[in-house]
Amino acid sequence: MKFHQLLEMVGDEPVFGTGLLLCGGVDPVGVRHQLARWTRSGRIHQLRRELYALAPPYRKCIPHPFLVANRLVPGSYVSGLSALEHAHCIPEYVPEVTSVAAARPHLRQTPLGRFSFRHVKPDLLYGYRQVDLGQEQTAFVALPEKALLDVVHLCPGGDGPAYIAELRLDFEALDLEELDRLARTSGKPKLLRAARHVRALAEDPDLSYEAL
């Protein structure tokens, strides 16, 4: 395979897997050796085993970090502070994309950014949707209410009023009824407590968290 043939096949794709290149009776060993050479020369980026992205100036679109996160660990969805920032629920810039999945927790540094994956049990993998990211890219991203509950679940003491206050949540960007519903769905006392604290702070922003 020549590089111009690769560009013809995957030039419009933000990321691509080797499975796309191994159709039609090609030599898989030869294709993988060529991919390794193009990676070493800087023409493509290897994101993980069997997953790549074209490097500038060859790519036609910039891969969105949320799409990359979904492809790095199939079955995951973007959540936590990353999803809260995307929904304009917190003021801070979040440089690392956090996702949750039933897979083992790990951190992956790639040429396209830093990605962390947190483990949750399968019964907590709900409350997300497919989001349009532009440039014909989509990704599974937690609802802001579920992203908040995932933060609470994964952080020791995350249900504490002081911790919730420190997040500086934009309550207008949250659906408190949905937050309550998602917390009840979990059946976890920690998440139910957090939902109550969030509602109390939303209804009275001047309330001291010590009073909760």
Side-chain angles (χ1 to χ4, degrees):
M1 177 183 292
K2 304 296 184 182
F3 191 68
H4 72 85
Q5 294 174 306
L6 176 73
L7 294 180
E8 290 173 359
M9 294 180 68
V10 304
D12 294 325
E13 301 293 329
V15 298
F16 62 93
T18 55
L20 184 64
L21 310 178
L22 298 178
C23 302
V26 300
D27 174 18
V29 174
V31 169
R32 289 189 171 92
H33 284 169
Q34 191 63 281
L35 289 170
R37 287 193 289 270
W38 290 330
T39 299
R40 288 194 298 270
S41 68
R43 291 185 174 188
I44 63 176
H45 298 311
Q46 183 171 22
L47 307 178
R48 62 160 169 80
R49 186 173 180 271
E50 308 285 310
L51 185 67
Y52 298 85
L54 292 172
Y58 306 105
R59 65 189 183 192
K60 294 182 180 179
C61 65
I62 299 174
H64 193 284
F66 287 7
L67 177 142
V68 175
N70 278 193
R71 294 292 299 275
L72 283 170
V73 178
S76 68
Y77 64 88
V78 176
S79 189
L81 297 180
S82 301
L84 287 173
E85 182 205 17
H86 183 73
H88 307 293
C89 291
I90 56 174
E92 284 80 15
Y93 165 68
V94 180
E96 177 180 295
V97 177
T98 300
S99 302
V100 299
R104 63 178 178 81
H106 66 282
L107 179 67
R108 188 176 293 273
Q109 182 72 50
T110 79
L112 300 182
R114 181 181 168 101
F115 302 86
S116 64
F117 297 88
R118 306 294 302 275
H119 170 77
V120 299
K121 293 181 179 179
D123 60 358
L124 288 179
L125 294 175
Y126 63 89
Y128 59 92
R129 60 188 172 184
Q130 191 170 44
V131 172
D132 184 357
L133 304 171
Q135 292 191 314
E136 299 184 354
Q137 300 182 55
T138 63
F140 292 113
V141 182
L143 298 169
E145 299 78 20
K146 183 56 162 58
L148 175 57
L149 293 177
D150 284 342
V151 169
V152 169
H153 174 68
L154 293 166
C155 179
D159 60 329
Y163 179 83
I164 293 171
E166 288 174 359
L167 291 174
R168 295 191 294 163
L169 295 165
D170 181 352
F171 298 113
E172 292 185 359
L174 290 170
D175 183 335
L176 298 182
E177 295 300 324
E178 181 69 3
L179 181 68
D180 289 340
R181 186 188 71 80
L182 292 171
R184 289 194 303 271
T185 298
S186 76
K188 293 188 175 296
K190 181 180 183 181
L191 301 188
L192 292 167
R193 286 193 300 272
R196 288 196 298 270
H197 296 331
V198 170
R199 179 176 288 277
L201 288 169
E203 292 176 349
D204 185 359
D206 296 325
L207 182 67
S208 170
Y209 66 76
E210 289 90 348
L212 294 174

